[in-house]
Amino acid sequence: MTNSTQTSSVASTGKPDTETASADETTIVIGQTLTRMRFLIGRRIVGRMAIANVAPGLDLTDLDVLDVSRRIAQAGGEVTVGAIAEAMRIDPSRGSRLVADLVSRGILRRDASQEDGRRSLIAPTKLGENLLKEIRNVKHGLIEQMTADWSMEDRETFGRLFARFVDGFEDVYRSSDTTGEPAGLPPHP
């Protein structure tokens, strides 16, 4: 804490605000841990392992398309090229090319919309389902390995708090302005 912060803490309560110091240290630890996690996730270990096991030759972006289509369907939305592009925050023409490539590889298929025959709905094929299953298996296996020596209570607490943390991240992301920057933050240089 700075001297002025310490002075105001002492003036208002008559004693130093150790809770604020502890919260600041905790924020620093969380920030540093997120950086470490970003580097690990950036290497896309789960995706690379799943691709190697089920569909060698796929690109990691292909897995993103497949995963986004799964999440849209689970949320009850119509899985269209436009919905996939919007969820991935990419240009619709890029989304169309990515989907077309996965259709040509037999991972996704196009079905006619029952509501509007001009629109195509996107769905995974059997190969696509197998790839999604392998991604889950790899991910769950890694989580089991990383938490093998944790108590069930620790695992449940971490699961609940981690979900809450990521929900907060998604809320900030969804509140992004038109430049793609989270609301309230200065624009990225």
Side-chain angles (χ1 to χ4, degrees), residues 6-162:
Q6 288 174 335
T7 304
S8 64
S9 301
V10 172
S12 64
T13 64
K15 58 185 172 188
D17 189 352
T18 56
E19 189 173 309
T20 301
S22 178
D24 291 344
E25 291 168 13
T26 300
T27 298
I28 290 168
V29 168
I30 291 170
Q32 290 171 341
T33 304
L34 278 173
T35 299
R36 290 174 41 220
M37 186 173 178
R38 182 177 56 85
F39 283 122
L40 290 169
I41 288 175
R43 292 181 181 20
R44 309 281 308 262
I45 296 165
V46 172
R48 289 179 193 282
M49 291 171 73
I51 286 172
N53 292 344
V54 176
L58 278 186
D59 187 65
L60 291 166
T61 304
D62 297 331
L63 291 185
D64 295 338
V65 172
L66 191 58
D67 185 58
V68 162
S69 67
R70 177 193 56 81
R71 286 188 282 130
I72 292 169
Q74 282 181 334
E78 280 196 333
V79 184
T80 63
V81 169
I84 291 169
E86 182 180 329
M88 292 180 67
R89 287 193 158 193
I90 59 175
D91 183 80
S93 61
R94 173 143 168 77
S96 182
R97 286 190 302 274
L98 290 169
V99 168
D101 183 54
L102 290 176
V103 168
S104 72
R105 292 173 182 247
I107 293 170
L108 292 177
R109 70 175 189 276
R110 294 179 189 266
D111 296 327
S113 169
Q114 297 300 315
E115 295 176 16
D116 183 351
R118 297 169 294 173
R119 290 186 11 196
S120 291
L121 300 179
I122 310 301
T125 61
K126 183 67 174 167
L127 177 58
E129 290 290 345
N130 288 341
L131 189 52
L132 285 168
K133 182 179 177 185
E134 183 63 18
I135 291 168
R136 278 191 306 272
N137 290 341
V138 169
K139 187 182 304 178
H140 293 170
L142 287 170
I143 292 168
E144 289 289 332
Q145 182 180 349
M146 291 181 292
T147 61
D149 61 345
W150 294 20
S151 70
M152 185 52 71
E153 182 181 352
D154 284 351
R155 290 182 63 172
E156 289 170 355
T157 299
F158 177 75
R160 182 177 44 78
L161 292 175
F162 191 59

